Amino acid sequence: MRVRLSGVSLRPLVFGVSTALALGAGTASAQTATSAQSATGEQLAIETIVVTARQREESIQEIPIAVTAFSAESIARRGITELDDVARFTAGFSFEDFEGGNANPTIRGQTTLRPVAREQTVATFMDGVYMPRSWLVDLGLQNMERIEIVKGPQSARYGRNAFAGAINLIPVKARHEFAFNASATVGSDERAEFLLGGTLPLIENVLAVRATFETSEFDGSWKNNHPNAAGRVSPGVKGNIGGWDNKAYSVDVLFTPTEALAINASYYGFDRSEEVRATVRLNTGDGSGNCGPLQADGNFSLYCGEYPPPSDVITMDPRGFGRQAEVDIFRISADYQVNDAIAVTYSFSNIQADSKTASPAESDNINCGTILPGTCNWQGGPSGDIDYDQHELRVTFDNGGQWTGAVGAFYMDGVDDPYTASINLPPNSLTPINLSRESTAPPDFSNFVFADDLTTTRARSVFAEVGYAFSDVTRLSVEGRFTSEKLETFNLRTNPATLVGDETFNFFTPRVTLEHDLTPDMMLYGTVARGAKAGGFNANAVSESLRIFDPEFNDTFELGLKSMLLGGRAIVNSAVFYTSWDDMQINVLDPLGGPFTGTLTANLGDATIWGVEVEGSLRATQNLSFDFAASYTDATYDSGTVDARFTLGTAAFPPPCDGTVCPVDGGIGGNTIERSPRTQLSGGVQWQSQLTADVDYWIRADVGYQSSHFADSINAAKAPSRTITNASVGLDMDKLAVRFWVRNLTDEKYVSNSLQIIQASGQNVLGTFFGERRTYGVTATYRY
């Protein structure tokens, strides 16, 4: 899919402009800059990062919200390249990447219980544009000015399913000053990355244009032991497992015709080709189970305990190509300062994307036959395309007095057209997967489409915020948003297409915040907020009662403290929270559906979550600094919550819950929510000094720990804990910086994420996905 203007594709134009601007920038004259030396005490003070979590620039220490932010320098020095790295350094934030691009960010234990759900519990924004699907969440972090993880429900401020929080990705934007940057990375496992960017002021203080081009290739860190691994099937896994071949383009235009008006137009294009992650599937139908009732085939129905650790090599049929996606984002915004007190902002964005995926479903990738005897099976979904328009108008008031406020409206109109296929091909061959929407008939099943639907979404919301300062030290703010979402879903598997459902969901999401400055460097705040996540339809449902599911909600109470200590040399921020999660959207099986109905979504039960988070940094000396993050999250299902998937069975394949592993009624009350680690710890230490008068050097090490987590709601299978260590050494010269880095220094082989799939056939699947092994390399960056 391509964004087009007057019938002309933007991709070639963007590439040409990116190259011309970046190369042309190198011939411009340098601008000089001077800096004054600070006093010794001021040099030891930590510079606080400025964030835009509340749609305005503020110091992170001055906003009454739990936010973790990473500047461009922090991103570079910590070697952050994907959201999995961000999670490693962020209290209360975890991240999973299923099967090449299906991302599942989790904040404070509120995971998306169905990883392939249309909406996530965490809203992700790229340059203010809502990314509406899981495979759009992690498009790359090379060109970022800042990354913000905003914790706690943000539905009042952001809307758009910011149920548990939000991720703000802020790319480098055009400014009215010349800039040029280029970076290159080479590393182990054929890692090769290149970024070229430049900003040209075309009319002084009026018009500036920035363009970038990025490319990133990686062969993957896991050796593939499959006999066809060197076959170079296309599309497919080439060589090692877990690699990628990604490209990105951008053009950003800043136009300020007057001091009061600023217009910004941006285009971002992404071509993503991400291989499947190193994976082992355990299928109870072939004897991989070790608990639960015995089935008619003599096998156990479930897997219990910690997953076996991965071996040095993985065996995967290379024909499963993971995720391939093309994404085009266009955004334009206008900011008008009416007077000293009132500002008006309007933004429009369009996001178009298409995607296809094929991931292996076999526990034996050589002999195969787990799903259909004599063939190898892949699951291709969700594939398809999306097209969304988004509009937002916001008016803010701030005259420097006691009262502040904002009002606005938001409108989103989009089409989501996904399908899911089960692909079967002969084993031990190089026949490529030809994924399509055309379903084949039995007994072939070479491309059996078992889900094909289309959903249109029209979301409207109005919002307001009022702030009042009782004094110089005590402030109150009240926010609220009313949202109306109209959804229509059609089942495209029928001929003609049939309407599954047409429903309008209305809900109100408030947020109240009280903050008080205990001292000029210490702020105490408390918030009460509601989060909401959209409802929807199950196009595949046979049972009438399962064709619709309602929105889910949470009510969160949070008490936080932000403090600067030791004269600004230390920052410690902490928060405690309590969340009541209602009408949870959890997985179900249709009792009237057959083996190809798949998993559906229903509102079944509630949960209670509480936890504590602490983050901070310390400048011990002029040369030595530390940072840390720690969190504990207790996320449990409430009494009476039932997971009915574990209660379905037949005479030959009795239900997995037989009263031993789990209650006969599938009760999961008191169990920990799956894929929600309780404890996260991270620490970093950095030494920096001068090598010569013109060359600075630094040495950094980061360690991240995540406790074990359950793969299922009955708390049977568990992914072990993990500890990952990264290290780097850097040299900073006048315009050139060089960084030597090692990721996963100890080469820990670990399960990064997992899930247990309960199937109507009685043959249940446990999927284990493995994190990246040790890699190393060097990155050189030039800035002018």
Side-chain angles (χ1 to χ4, degrees):
M1 184 171 292
R2 299 287 189 271
V3 176
R4 296 181 178 270
L5 295 178
S6 303
V8 179
S9 174
L10 284 179
R11 286 290 178 91
L13 175 64
V14 169
F15 177 76
V17 172
S18 300
T19 306
L21 275 178
L23 293 178
T27 65
S29 61
Q31 295 182 354
T32 60
T34 60
S35 61
Q37 290 292 327
S38 301
T40 302
E42 293 176 338
Q43 287 178 336
L44 290 177
I46 298 173
E47 183 178 353
T48 58
I49 190 170
V50 173
V51 297
T52 52
R54 296 198 295 180
Q55 280 89 28
R56 54 185 181 268
E57 293 188 348
E58 301 170 290
S59 166
I60 195 171
Q61 292 302 109
E62 296 176 356
I63 61 172
I65 301 176
V67 181
T68 301
F70 301 88
S71 65
E73 178 179 316
S74 180
I75 293 170
R77 293 202 172 184
R78 297 189 190 210
I80 293 174
T81 61
E82 55 189 359
L83 285 173
D84 184 56
D85 299 320
V86 175
R88 196 165 292 141
F89 307 126
T90 303
F93 176 53
S94 60
F95 185 82
E96 297 178 316
D97 188 358
F98 294 94
E99 302 176 315
N102 282 335
N104 182 17
T106 298
I107 291 179
R108 294 178 172 176
Q110 295 164 83
T111 187
T112 303
L113 297 174
R114 189 180 181 193
V116 295
R118 288 183 65 248
E119 307 289 355
Q120 301 283 293
T121 58
V122 176
T124 301
F125 299 87
M126 167 67 178
D127 193 17
V129 181
Y130 174 54
M131 311 300 281
R133 295 297 168 262
S134 64
W135 46 274
L136 295 170
V137 168
D138 198 11
L139 293 175
L141 305 177
Q142 277 189 287
N143 189 41
M144 291 295 134
E145 180 176 292
R146 191 171 63 256
I147 301 168
E148 301 173 0
I149 308 299
V150 190
K151 290 170 273 189
Q154 303 297 320
S155 297
R157 179 165 298 277
Y158 294 105
R160 289 157 287 181
N161 299 301
F163 176 83
I167 302 170
N168 285 330
L169 306 176
I170 299 98
V172 179
K173 307 283 289 181
R175 293 181 174 84
H176 290 305
E177 56 186 21
F178 166 79
F180 171 76
N181 65 289
S183 68
T185 296
V186 292
S188 58
D189 300 305
E190 301 181 29
R191 196 178 202 122
E193 298 175 352
F194 180 70
L195 182 147
L196 188 68
T199 300
L200 284 178
L202 301 179
I203 303 176
E204 186 177 1
N205 295 325
V206 175
L207 181 64
V209 180
R210 175 175 175 80
T212 64
F213 170 71
E214 308 169 46
T215 180
S216 176
E217 296 182 17
F218 181 51
D219 188 41
S221 59
W222 286 89
K223 304 298 181 184
N224 191 359
N225 200 38
H226 195 279
N228 292 334
R232 296 287 174 177
V233 62
S234 182
V237 176
K238 300 172 177 62
N240 289 352
I241 306 170
W244 60 74
D245 183 359
N246 299 328
K247 293 178 176 59
Y249 324 80
S250 73
V251 170
D252 187 65
V253 179
L254 176 62
F255 178 50
T256 53
T258 69
E259 291 186 0
L261 178 63
I263 299 173
N264 179 242
S266 307
Y267 167 78
Y268 305 95
F270 301 90
D271 288 332
R272 309 283 294 181
S273 179
E274 299 177 87
E275 296 177 356
V276 293
R277 302 294 180 254
T279 306
V280 169
R281 297 256 182 167
L282 305 177
N283 192 298
T284 61
D286 60 16
S288 297
N290 62 5
C291 65
L294 281 173
Q295 309 288 333
D297 55 11
N299 296 314
F300 292 104
S301 61
L302 292 172
Y303 185 90
C304 294
E306 286 195 350
Y307 309 133
S311 59
D312 286 334
V313 295
I314 303 296
T315 303
M316 293 183 66
D317 192 311
R319 289 175 287 181
F321 54 77
R323 173 76 64 180
Q324 297 180 344
E326 295 180 351
V327 183
D328 294 289
I329 303 171
F330 175 75
R331 178 182 183 271
I332 185 167
S333 64
D335 296 277
Y336 181 62
Q337 193 71 39
V338 178
N339 52 42
D340 291 340
I342 299 175
V344 179
T345 300
Y346 167 76
S347 65
F348 164 79
S349 63
N350 171 264
I351 178 169
Q352 300 181 44
D354 54 49
S355 167
K356 59 181 180 179
T357 182
S359 301
E362 301 283 351
S363 55
D364 182 346
N365 277 275
I366 296 178
N367 300 310
C368 301
T370 300
I371 308 299
L372 190 66
T375 65
C376 293
N377 180 265
W378 291 266
Q379 298 296 308
S383 300
D385 56 82
I386 64 167
D387 187 348
Y388 277 85
D389 290 338
Q390 303 174 43
H391 304 259
E392 183 172 277
L393 177 67
R394 181 184 298 268
V395 180
T396 59
F397 170 81
D398 186 354
N399 64 356
Q402 288 182 290
W403 291 95
T404 59
V407 295
F410 171 80
Y411 175 74
M412 181 173 71
D413 186 356
V415 176
D416 188 4
D417 190 11
Y419 69 100
T420 301
S422 178
I423 303 102
N424 294 283
L425 292 173
N428 297 319
S429 75
L430 294 177
T431 305
I433 292 174
N434 182 22
L435 184 67
S436 75
R437 305 185 91 116
E438 299 299 323
S439 187
T440 57
D444 181 23
F445 287 120
S446 60
N447 190 88
F448 182 78
V449 177
F450 60 87
D452 191 358
D453 56 86
L454 183 146
T455 297
T456 62
T457 301
R458 293 177 179 85
R460 301 172 176 86
S461 64
V462 292
F463 54 88
E465 174 187 359
V466 176
Y468 180 74
F470 294 98
S471 66
D472 291 339
V473 297
T474 305
R475 298 164 295 277
L476 175 71
S477 66
V478 179
E479 307 167 60
R481 178 183 293 256
F482 176 78
T483 300
S484 179
E485 293 192 358
K486 178 178 174 61
L487 273 70
E488 285 184 310
T489 295
F490 296 87
N491 188 347
L492 303 184
R493 291 185 67 204
T494 59
N495 189 16
T498 55
L499 178 66
V500 178
D502 177 354
E503 187 77 15
T504 299
F505 302 100
N506 299 317
F507 46 85
F508 177 67
T509 49
R511 180 185 181 93
V512 179
T513 304
L514 180 65
E515 54 185 299
H516 178 74
D517 297 333
L518 301 174
T519 71
D521 294 323
M522 188 174 295
M523 178 183 68
L524 180 69
Y525 69 89
T527 64
V528 180
R530 163 160 276 211
K533 179 169 169 278
F537 299 97
N538 293 306
N540 243 23
V542 178
S543 300
E544 184 73 26
S545 61
L546 291 176
R547 291 185 181 175
I548 186 172
F549 57 92
D550 293 324
E552 56 185 336
F553 301 94
N554 78 67
D555 294 301
T556 297
F557 305 84
E558 179 177 335
L559 185 66
L561 182 66
K562 295 196 169 184
S563 56
M564 297 191 70
L565 309 171
L566 304 177
R569 292 169 51 189
I571 292 176
V572 179
N573 296 334
S574 58
V576 293
F577 60 89
Y578 174 88
T579 296
S580 176
W581 186 353
D582 303 319
D583 299 323
M584 300 179 73
Q585 296 172 4
I586 70 175
N587 296 313
V588 297
L589 291 175
D590 192 336
L592 300 182
F596 298 108
T597 302
T599 303
L600 307 179
T601 303
N603 303 92
L604 293 173
D606 307 319
T608 299
I609 305 172
W610 66 270
V612 57
E613 302 162 351
V614 182
E615 294 182 330
S617 54
L618 169 67
R619 189 78 175 268
T621 69
Q622 187 66 39
N623 307 106
L624 184 63
S625 59
F626 301 90
D627 50 73
F628 65 92
S631 63
Y632 177 85
T633 304
D634 185 291
T636 57
Y637 289 102
D638 285 354
S639 177
T641 303
V642 170
D643 192 332
R645 294 176 301 161
F646 294 90
T647 67
L648 300 178
T650 64
F653 296 95
C657 284
D658 60 353
T660 302
V661 176
C662 49
V664 175
D665 64 355
I668 55 176
N671 288 358
T672 298
I673 295 174
E674 58 266 39
R675 304 192 304 280
S676 299
R678 286 192 176 226
T679 305
Q680 292 173 268
L681 303 169
S682 71
V685 57
Q686 180 172 289
W687 174 273
Q688 59 184 23
S689 186
Q690 281 191 317
L691 192 63
T692 68
D694 299 321
V695 180
D696 294 335
Y697 76 93
W698 51 270
I699 303 172
R700 182 175 182 89
D702 292 284
V703 179
Y705 167 83
Q706 180 176 293
S707 65
S708 60
H709 64 265
F710 290 105
D712 49 60
S713 61
I714 61 171
N715 290 184
K718 180 186 291 189
S721 62
R722 62 180 187 256
T723 302
I724 307 300
T725 303
N726 296 342
S728 57
V729 177
L731 298 174
D732 286 336
M733 290 154 270
D734 182 24
K735 298 180 179 65
L736 179 66
V738 180
R739 183 173 66 91
F740 302 89
W741 49 267
V742 180
R743 295 166 60 88
N744 192 359
L745 179 65
T746 61
D747 196 22
E748 179 159 344
K749 298 185 288 290
Y750 65 97
V751 177
S752 61
N753 49 283
S754 59
L755 73 164
Q756 188 153 205
I757 303 171
I758 306 301
Q759 302 188 124
S761 64
Q763 296 187 357
N764 304 314
V765 178
L766 182 74
T768 60
F769 306 85
F770 307 132
E772 188 179 289
R773 297 189 61 177
R774 179 170 55 217
T775 58
Y776 51 87
V778 58
T779 299
T781 302
Y782 180 81
R783 291 187 176 89
Y784 195 79

